[in-house]
Amino acid sequence: MIQKILFDNEEVIKTGLDEFKIFLANEELKLINNNLLWRLAFWNKIKGIFPQITYFEKSIKLDSGYLSHNWHSFPAKFYPQLVRSLINICRVEEGSIIFDPYAGCGTTLVESRLMGFDAIGTDISKLAVMITKVKTNLDIDLNLLDKNLNLIMSRSKSDLINSKNNFYVTDFERYWYNEGNLKQLKILQKNLDSVKEQEIKDFFLVALSSILRRIANTKSGQIEVRHQVRKKVLNVLSLFEKKVKSMERDILNYKEHSPERRSKTDITFANASKNKIKEESVDFIITSPPYGNGLDYSKIHKLSIALIFGEDELEFFKNSQTGTIYSRGFESLEVPFSKRGQEIVNTLTKKVSFSRAKAMSKYYWDMFSSIKNMFQALKKEGNCIIIIGGTKIKELEIDNSQVLLEIAE
């Protein structure tokens, strides 16, 4: 049986987001077994039982930043309560494997782990893969983490006093950081490189990556990184240490209130349109792919990518994103698998530009291959949920959900 659509955007707009959350919560209560009430997403307390999220929250107000979900900013991610409620509504059973081919910063994988499900994911961003690995590694050795942190802070503070600024600095780094902040950043980077355990080093790198915008020459309140000179020298070492300590407190919270069953998660660096996993090997797919002509993550995360993977990685990632306008070696404007998709590409060709039309055509081809791979990976009785929004190019409104629905059918 194929369920064509579970919810659509019309329902959300008609009711409003808050009412839609109530609708999801009621659906959960109808379908979930009484002994699993603790898994609920939207209720603070029901039938005398506190759901798991209530214990993970840092404040009384229910939000989406509990535990590792809030460790690193990542624009356009879907909120974890939505993932949790859809897992419940689709009656995902114990022992199931959940798959997210566009894992991003790991919302699906983190939430799967918190609920006790094994999960796998892929992403074409090396930074996203690293963030997700760290966010799902909630059983990390905190004693070893503290030992390394104390050593790093001791060495970095000493280096800050005694260093003669004999670091190799690129033009990119000089442009994006003032001298005082850059000196501390380079000292931290040098001492992080000396950490032997890879999972500990990755943990520290994600913490450092999460504070880069605060210390860089960037405009506030912008999704993409945009330059604005900042003369103020901050205490970068202190900001880094506070971030690590905050992440450690989340891990302690997880260990206190986590499910008894330790589920497994695995994230792989791969292109969802090309990567094929074993046929009929997953029980449930939930993913939120790029929207086509949407966010350019090479511009959003350029500081982190350059710091961790090198400046050359920026160019590679920019050209490899799904539906990127920078794609090379693709010139087709034919979309034979979707009538609606072909109409959109034709309109873009006439009213906007060939490059935009080509990028959208490439996006639909990538999604065609991705959905085909999802279909092959999914077990016959499994469910697949794709959360997708529309985009706007010039004055043209594009409803990607209709195109992807045609592809799926």
Side-chain angles (χ1 to χ4, degrees), residues 190-242:
K190 182 199 77 169
N191 289 313
L192 288 181
D193 283 342
S194 67
V195 176
K196 295 179 180 179
E197 298 82 3
Q198 191 62 49
E199 65 173 6
I200 302 291
K201 182 187 289 188
D202 288 348
F203 188 96
F204 289 144
L205 284 172
V206 168
L208 182 58
S209 171
S210 73
I211 67 169
L212 288 182
R213 284 210 180 192
R214 294 178 63 183
I215 68 175
N217 294 327
T218 59
K219 289 184 179 180
S220 300
Q222 302 290 315
I223 294 179
E224 293 184 356
V225 175
R226 296 186 180 177
H227 189 268
Q228 178 175 292
V229 175
R230 289 186 181 180
K231 297 181 180 180
K232 185 176 181 180
V233 177
L234 302 174
N235 190 334
V236 177
L237 301 184
S238 177
L239 288 173
F240 169 74
E241 185 177 26
K242 286 179 181 178

Side-chain angles (χ1 to χ4, degrees), residues 392-407:
K392 188 174 183 179
I393 303 178
K394 302 294 183 180
E395 298 303 315
L396 183 63
E397 298 279 355
I398 297 174
D399 185 357
N400 290 314
S401 65
Q402 295 303 310
V403 181
L404 265 59
L405 186 59
E406 286 185 10
I407 293 172

Side-chain angles (χ1 to χ4, degrees), residues 344-406:
I344 290 170
V345 170
N346 292 344
T347 303
L348 286 170
T349 306
K350 294 175 184 177
K351 295 187 176 182
V352 183
S353 68
F354 173 79
S355 62
R356 291 289 187 185
K358 182 186 75 168
M360 191 56 68
S361 177
K362 176 67 164 57
Y363 169 72
Y364 292 143
W365 275 100
D366 285 346
M367 291 310 305
F368 175 83
S369 298
S370 297
I371 292 173
K372 182 179 179 181
N373 290 339
M374 291 182 219
F375 180 78
Q376 291 176 339
L378 192 65
K379 293 180 181 177
K380 289 181 179 179
E381 298 302 318
N383 285 298
C384 173
I385 294 179
I386 300 174
I387 298 171
I388 188 78
T391 53
K392 188 174 183 179
I393 303 178
K394 302 294 183 180
E395 298 303 315
L396 183 63
E397 298 279 355
I398 297 174
D399 185 357
N400 290 314
S401 65
Q402 295 303 310
V403 181
L404 265 59
L405 186 59
E406 286 185 10

